[in-house]
Amino acid sequence: MAKTFLLLSLVALTCTYLAFAFEPKPLQDFCVADRNSSARVNGLACKNPSTVVANDFFFSGLHIAGNTSNPVGSRVTPVSVAQIPGLNTLGISLVRVDVSPWGINPPHTHPRASEILTVLEGSLEVGFVTSNPENRLITKVLEKGDVFVFPIALIHFQRNVGNKNAVAIAALSSQNPGVITIANAVFGSNAPIGSDVLTKAFQVDKKIVDQIQSKF
Ligand SMILES: *[C@@H]1O[C@H](CO)[C@@H](O)[C@H](O)[C@H]1NC(C)=O
Ligand SMILES: *[C@@H]1O[C@H](CO)[C@@H](O)[C@H](O)[C@H]1NC(C)=O
């Protein structure tokens, strides 16, 4: 009996520890980013709390549709610590996603955030791919009001599968989630990844690699 209790207590303790192993809580009310600071910290330095104003926690314009006139037919409008300095250290942010009919938000990952997305207008096919070796595609078509989650760091995408503009709002679990767009990173890096690497990686000949690289 006592042994079982001890074991259960240990399991509970371990779970508590795991629950706090991510996104540590801020150690103060807020740490509004001071972009002028030259201090090198993990994140952005705090400005003097006595000089903080409401606008440090404010952004306006998410009602405005993003310009989707580009080759992929989508636009992401971020509202992260770059737009709202008051988000610094808080571990959350927001984006608006506009996708024109049959456009895509191309495969990408957020290295520092999980994402929870809700569709406000239109229909979006969404999906993410699990890590190696399964690389399983988990996908679904979302309609207005539907909500979908993209786990941290996994490659995901959205595609408008309707004849009208799609609009979604997504929250991310970082004030600075970061984005790696797979095609741009792999084929559009600066300097380019050598074509000998890409021809073997993608099992295609150099002409195809050159052609794809020329698009980025
Ligand atoms: C940064 O510097 C600019 C120009 O000196 C000033 O207007 C601004 O208020 C400063 N920002 C902060 C957060 O201190
Ligand atoms: C949208 O982007 C395109 C391509 O960059 C540009 O030509 C067009 O003027 C933009 N439209 C608006 C309303 O800003």
Side-chain angles (χ1 to χ4, degrees), residues 67-70 75:
N67 184 343
T68 59
S69 300
N70 55 58
R75 176 75 59 184

Side-chain angles (χ1 to χ4, degrees), residues 23-208:
E23 290 294 1
K25 286 183 291 186
L27 305 175
Q28 52 207 339
D29 285 352
F30 47 73
C31 168
V32 173
D34 177 359
R35 294 206 181 80
N36 295 346
S37 171
S38 59
R40 301 255 174 252
V41 294
N42 183 17
L44 296 161
C46 315
K47 83 181 210 185
N48 183 342
S50 66
T51 67
V52 161
V53 293
N55 275 349
D56 288 327
F57 301 93
F58 174 78
F59 172 88
S60 178
L62 222 53
H63 60 297
I64 299 166
N67 184 343
T68 59
S69 300
N70 55 58
V72 291
S74 72
R75 176 75 59 184
V76 175
T77 307
V79 187
S80 58
V81 72
Q83 288 75 33
I84 302 186
L87 279 177
N88 192 36
T89 75
L90 297 184
I92 53 168
S93 59
L94 209 61
V95 295
R96 172 183 171 131
V97 185
D98 288 280
V99 192
S100 60
W102 310 105
I104 61 160
N105 182 9
H108 63 279
T109 89
H110 303 292
R112 293 177 287 278
S114 291
E115 173 174 345
I116 180 166
L117 173 144
T118 186
V119 176
L120 301 184
E121 297 295 338
S123 307
L124 281 181
E125 175 192 1
V126 300
F128 66 83
V129 179
T130 66
S131 59
N132 299 351
E134 291 82 10
N135 296 140
R136 181 155 78 100
L137 173 64
I138 297 184
T139 183
K140 192 166 174 65
V141 173
L142 308 181
E143 306 295 342
K144 184 173 181 166
D146 292 350
V147 177
F148 198 79
V149 173
F150 306 101
I152 183 167
L154 298 187
I155 293 178
H156 59 282
F157 63 87
Q158 292 110 31
R159 174 173 178 252
N160 186 344
V161 287
N163 288 316
K164 58 179 216 162
N165 291 333
V167 182
I169 296 283
L172 296 117
S173 60
S174 167
Q175 67 269 12
N176 181 24
V179 188
I180 300 169
T181 303
I182 307 306
N184 304 44
V186 175
F187 291 100
S189 65
N190 180 21
I193 298 176
S195 56
D196 46 342
V197 173
L198 296 179
T199 51
K200 278 216 177 72
F202 289 88
Q203 298 287 296
V204 294
D205 63 41
K206 187 170 177 306
K207 254 205 320 243
I208 295 176

